[in-house]
Amino acid sequence: MTDAAELRRRTADLLAAHPPTRLPPPPQNEGPAGPPLWSATERLDFLRARFDAGLAWVHFPEGLGGLGAPRALQAVVDAELEDAGAPGNDPGRIGIGLGMAAPTILRFGTDEQKKRFLRPLWTGEEVWCQLFSEPGAGSDLAALATRAVREEGGEDWVVDGQKVWTSSAHLARWAILIARTDPDVPKHRGMTYFICDMTDPGVEVRPLRQITGEAEFNEVFLTGVRIPDAHRLGEVGEGWKVAQTTLMNERVAIGGTRIPREGGMIGVAATAWRERPELRTHDLHQRLLNLWVDAEVARLTGERLRQQLSPTLNSVRAGGAPMGQPGPEGSGMKLAFARLAQEISGWEVEFLAEDGLTYDDWTLRRPDGVDFTGRQAGYRYLRAKGNSIEGGTSEVLLNIVAERVLGLPPEPRTDKDVAWKDLPR
Amino acid sequence: MTAPVPPATEPDLLYSADEEALRDAVRALLADRSDPATVLAGLESALPYDRDLWCALATGIGTAGLLVPEKLGGAGASAREAAVVLEELGRSVAPAPYLTSAVIAVTALLGCDVDRADVAGPLAALADGRTLGVLALPLTTAPGGAGEPAVRADADGALTGRVTSVADAAAAELLLVWAQGPHGPAVYAVEAPADGVRTEAVTPLDLTRPLAHLALDGARGSVLATGDRAREAVERALLTGAGLLASEQLGIAEWCLAETVRHTTQRTQFGRPVGSFQALKHRMAALWLEVASARAAARNAADALASGSPDAPLAVAVAQAYCAPVAVRAAEECIQLHGGIGMTWEHPAHLFLKRAKADQLALGAPGRHRAALAELAGLGAP
């Protein structure tokens, strides 16, 4: 069994063989100091060596970036590398690959697929995106209509359809894709899961401009795209089962980070209150105090969830609450943060009075990631509207909490035993 | 205005194995001796609370002495453990004077000079549950709100004055009175019943926490603390009471949610369990989120009080501002989602609503705590 001491030793060996050095910082007057700069080759060399040493995700098997160690011990490695100033793999940019594609490939992929995809995915050499949602199938994902048809007598599948809300599609080399392969069976049973090459002919990515004016997401049009059968993940018709692994891991990623007091949007609002006494009113004061309490409690609730999931903190407390895999409680946290972000950003626009009437920039931009506290109040207000929709609408998440946490009876379903082709659309 | 200083160390928001064991013991006792039906029946009797139950809880399990160091006759535990007891008392809505005697009065005594025999003696008696004590202030008094005493003491220690709405006062044997003495405000000990002490029972909204007005007419009191020490003792008692009340509110909310889920899963209307209707399940899921959040807030307050953290006043203000309305909402939802049975006397939901609503006023209403927070968090008023 690989323990923390063993991982520290292996991390020290990696650092000795590949001592991190960084380029000198950019000269002054060129804007605020950003993250340290690394020469691209050196950074990649380090990340590849880290993957090969099994220190990328220690709970993965040996040879695939891990050592088969307990998942929680990753924190030990991360802390040592951070202290040493080692370059990271930019998880914000490759989050879909790390959080969703990788665990799915690990669980359902063939040996060839694991060997081919995991290393460049982790180092960030290849960016991934997720071709799940469709214009006609959002919350009801299993209703999707993108078709994949097996070529007669051949090894390829031919895919036609349209996907939407695809983050990173304009940067991605690969995509995880679910498509309908059998319309004659009920919707959950007729889907198959594929890996799609985003550079193939027939893949067209168009920016999807949002309420904020920018385009974080894309629409992806698939026209006669050929996917070799070797890029199928899991059995034909088992796509829903494979997708469940992806989606469970998506929810794991939410709420995992520690936030300081007044972290996030409430800090921006509180700072505005302190700096603009001339704008204060009693009504706004009462509402701000309410929001401050709610934000502090949401922070503590997330911290409590994190403590429950963190054996490094709790291993000494034998007999405490069960720990390890996060359950649907993460859905609850997402609900709270969505409501707070919307209310706080709305408060802030109102507080700013005349300044609240202005907007910083409507230019169509294509950011690599989302900055929920950056830009100005109007942007935050508009962007926060997505918080209760993306990654599961608040209404769907309330159903998940009700049924899986509280054990309430499920809604009656009229679509479960009907062939997909016979469903009303 | 500057931003609040964050706590020096991360709070421990979980329950230890010892705390879970304590919970199991208290829960088993309360399930056996004080289920809601028994509580309801007991309220029709003349007794303010069930002496045998209190004896088993306070002395038998030893919960009354949790906050008292071992060398002073207690269990040497902390606010974290006392909070667990209060969660269970909230969940069973048991009429037990735990908050008033074992938390508030004990903390007030701990703030006096415990090397003095006339402090250590009563403290040990409260710690083993033999004696009930209360801090003689209105139940609504918020931390920082004790203000000028309503009672005056002459040079001989004769106390005169009136204190309204004191919780559990009628049953108390020791009254800790905040009184204006010859040299300023001080804490006096008064034995009750004694000459010159009269309690007038008030009909309370919350039947499970009896209230009385206290009239002192030349009652004999002995000085336990004066000056800053007295002020700090009272302030600490109110702060600890308010912080741990959040755990009682959590327990109330938890029972209300669990009962509502149980009921709506079993109750059938329109051909299916009412708990399968989205309009209802969303309300229960939203309540679950509030209860989970209230737990984090209450644990944070208990942990800050236990560790003597300078963050305690802020943690308590946050916990009270958040947990009080959650308990009320949980009880109100419980009644609504139970339908007709929820508004009857026979169903215990009303006991939880009455406790939750009275708790919202106790030790400072949420608005008082938000006002305190405005100062503590550097968010001054216009």
Side-chain angles (χ1 to χ4, degrees), chain B residues 229-292:
Chain B
R229 173 150 223 163
R231 266 185 207 290
E232 281 159 24
V234 170
E235 174 58 20
R236 185 74 190 172
L238 293 171
L239 186 72
T240 304
L244 296 192
L245 177 62
S247 290
E248 180 178 299
Q249 289 160 331
L250 167 64
I252 293 169
E254 224 183 357
W255 184 90
C256 291
L257 175 60
E259 272 306 295
T260 306
V261 168
R262 196 179 64 77
H263 174 78
T264 55
T265 303
Q266 291 169 355
R267 169 83 169 164
T268 302
Q269 297 275 268
F270 306 104
R272 57 178 166 125
V274 295
S276 70
F277 289 98
Q278 202 170 58
L280 270 60
K281 69 210 294 189
H282 280 195
R283 285 168 69 160
M284 287 183 268
L287 195 55
W288 171 84
L289 180 57
E290 292 187 16
V291 172

Side-chain angles (χ1 to χ4, degrees), chain A residues 394-410:
Chain A
S394 291
E395 289 69 24
V396 165
L397 295 182
L398 284 168
N399 271 0
I400 289 173
V401 169
E403 292 176 15
R404 301 201 204 149
V405 180
L406 296 177
L408 286 162

Side-chain angles (χ1 to χ4, degrees), chain A residues 261-262 273-274 281 285 290 292-293 297 300-301 304 307 314 317-318 332 395 398-399 401 403 406 409 411-412, chain B residues 4 11-15 17 261 272 276 278 281-282 285 289 293 295 300 311 314 370 373 377-382:
Chain A
R261 179 174 289 162
E262 285 200 4
W273 179 264
R274 293 182 188 113
T281 68
H285 189 228
N290 266 320
W292 199 94
V293 168
V297 174
L300 291 166
T301 310
R304 187 163 192 277
Q307 289 182 5
N314 297 320
R317 287 195 203 104
E395 289 69 24
L398 284 168
N399 271 0
V401 169
E403 292 176 15
L406 296 177
E411 295 275 321
Chain B
D12 175 359
L13 302 175
L14 305 178
Y15 300 98
V261 168
R272 57 178 166 125
S276 70
Q278 202 170 58
K281 69 210 294 189
H282 280 195
L289 180 57
S293 304
R295 184 181 305 285
N300 186 50
D311 199 45
L314 188 143
R370 279 194 295 271
L373 201 60
L379 298 167

Side-chain angles (χ1 to χ4, degrees), chain B residues 5-288:
Chain B
V5 180
T9 53
E10 282 300 327
D12 175 359
L13 302 175
L14 305 178
Y15 300 98
S16 70
D18 286 349
E19 286 161 12
E20 292 293 359
L22 173 65
R23 178 199 302 289
D24 290 346
V26 175
R27 185 178 294 190
L29 174 74
L30 293 172
D32 194 32
R33 307 269 287 273
S34 186
D35 66 296
T38 310
V39 172
L40 197 54
L43 295 176
E44 312 283 5
S45 75
L47 295 170
Y49 63 97
D50 177 347
R51 268 270 170 195
D52 291 343
L53 174 70
W54 173 252
C55 198
L57 178 73
T59 312
I61 301 180
T63 60
L66 287 173
L67 295 179
V68 179
E70 285 181 61
K71 65 176 166 41
L72 295 170
S78 76
R80 292 177 54 89
E81 288 81 5
V84 170
V85 175
L86 280 164
E87 278 182 36
E88 296 306 312
L89 286 170
R91 194 205 299 271
S92 71
V93 79
Y98 189 82
L99 181 70
T100 47
S101 185
V103 174
I104 298 175
V106 159
T107 306
L109 281 174
L110 284 169
C112 301
D113 182 357
V114 294
D115 289 338
R116 282 169 47 170
D118 59 349
V119 174
L123 191 54
L126 292 192
D128 77 0
R130 275 177 297 151
T131 300
L132 281 188
V134 300
L135 178 62
L137 284 172
L139 181 60
T140 48
T141 312
E148 287 311 302
V151 176
R152 304 197 71 82
D154 68 17
D156 298 330
L159 303 175
T160 303
R162 186 176 157 82
V163 190
T164 52
S165 305
V166 183
D168 295 323
E173 289 116 354
L174 172 66
L175 305 172
L176 300 174
V177 181
W178 175 236
Q180 184 73 30
H183 308 292
V187 175
Y188 287 76
V190 175
E191 306 271 342
D195 286 348
V197 177
R198 194 159 46 86
T199 53
E200 309 157 19
V202 181
T203 304
L205 174 69
D206 170 14
L207 293 155
T208 61
R209 185 166 277 148
L211 291 179
H213 298 325
L214 193 61
L216 302 173
D217 183 13
R220 305 295 313 169
S222 59
V223 182
L224 296 185
T226 58
D228 287 346
R229 173 150 223 163
R231 266 185 207 290
E232 281 159 24
V234 170
E235 174 58 20
R236 185 74 190 172
L238 293 171
L239 186 72
T240 304
L244 296 192
L245 177 62
S247 290
E248 180 178 299
Q249 289 160 331
L250 167 64
I252 293 169
E254 224 183 357
W255 184 90
C256 291
L257 175 60
E259 272 306 295
T260 306
V261 168
R262 196 179 64 77
H263 174 78
T264 55
T265 303
Q266 291 169 355
R267 169 83 169 164
T268 302
Q269 297 275 268
F270 306 104
R272 57 178 166 125
V274 295
S276 70
F277 289 98
Q278 202 170 58
L280 270 60
K281 69 210 294 189
H282 280 195
R283 285 168 69 160
M284 287 183 268
L287 195 55
W288 171 84

